[in-house]
Amino acid sequence: METVKTAVHFTDNYLISPTNPIEVNLIGAGGTGSKVLTALMEMSHSLTELGHAGLQVRLWDDDVITEANLGRQRFAPSETGLYKSVALINRVNRFMGTNWKAETQKFERNNFGGLPENAKATIYITCVDNVQARFDIAEMLKEMTNDRNYRNTPKYWVDFGNSQNIGQVILSTIGEIKQPNSEKYQTVASLPMVTDEFGELLTQSEQSDDTPSCSLAEALEKQDLYINATLAQMGCSLLWSMFRYGMTQYRGFFLNLKDFRSQPLGLP
C-alpha cells in the first residue's frame, strides 16, 4: 500500500539564517495594517531573542489619520492629521529602538512605469482595500522575479483581505523556492498568487462603496470592530510558524468572524 506523503512547503533558507534583518514591505497602514505592524514588532523582537537577525520593516501608506480612524485602527486622537505610516513607525521605533522606515506614498509604479524606490524586499505583506491595487502589486512582484541575485530578493507575498465580518489571508511565493529533498514529505516549491487563483472572486467581492468613512459608526458598517485584529493575529501566526519551524502545511485561511468559523487553506 502506497503511503500518501503530507504536502509541505519548506521556508527559504535565507529566512531561517539571515546575515541581516529580513526586509519586509508592509503595504497599507489602516485597520489591518496598523495591527499587522504591531504583530511584526513582536515577531522581530522574539526572533532576535532566539538568535535571529530579526526584521527590517518599511511601511507604505499615503493616507492621513482622521477621527473616523480612531478606535478601529491603532491611532490616538493626538495623531489626527499625521500620515498613518509616519505615526505608526515613529511609535514602533520609540517603543523598541528599531530603525524601521515609513513611506508617505502608495506602493505603485512611478510616472515612467518603473518600480517605486525602495520597492525591493524579501517579504511583502499587503493590507489594501482595493482589488485593483492587488493586481498592480502582483504584476510588480512578478517583474521582480527576473532579478534573484540580491540579499533582498523577493520571495514571499502575504495578502490580507476582508469585508465586514469575513476575510482571508493568502501566502504566495514570488517565483519558486528551492526545496530540500525529502523522503517523508511531498515538497511544494511554488504557491500561487492570490490574484491568479482567486482573481475572479476578488473582483466579484469588491465593495462598490470605497469612499472614506466620516465617523467610526460609519466605518463599522463596512468592517466590524475585531475582524482586522483577528486576521492580523492569525495571519502573522502563519508567518511566525515559517520562521520558527522552517515549514508549513498551510498557505492561509478563510475566516468568518460572525459565526466564529475558520477554514485552513492547504498546499496545492
Side-chain angles (χ1 to χ4, degrees), residues 31 64-75 80 84 211-220 222-223 225:
V64 297
I65 302 164
T66 66
E67 288 189 9
N69 301 141
L70 308 181
R72 194 177 62 83
Q73 301 181 21
R74 195 146 287 171
F75 300 111
T80 302
K84 290 181 177 180
T211 56
S213 300
C214 297
S215 66
L216 176 58
E218 185 178 340
L220 292 173
K222 299 177 181 179
Q223 298 183 48
L225 186 57

Side-chain angles (χ1 to χ4, degrees), residues 139-153:
E139 289 304 312
M140 287 189 277
L141 296 184
K142 290 176 182 178
E143 187 175 317
M144 294 180 199
T145 60
N146 299 325
D147 186 4
R148 302 188 66 84
N149 298 315
Y150 292 94
R151 170 174 54 84
N152 58 351
T153 295

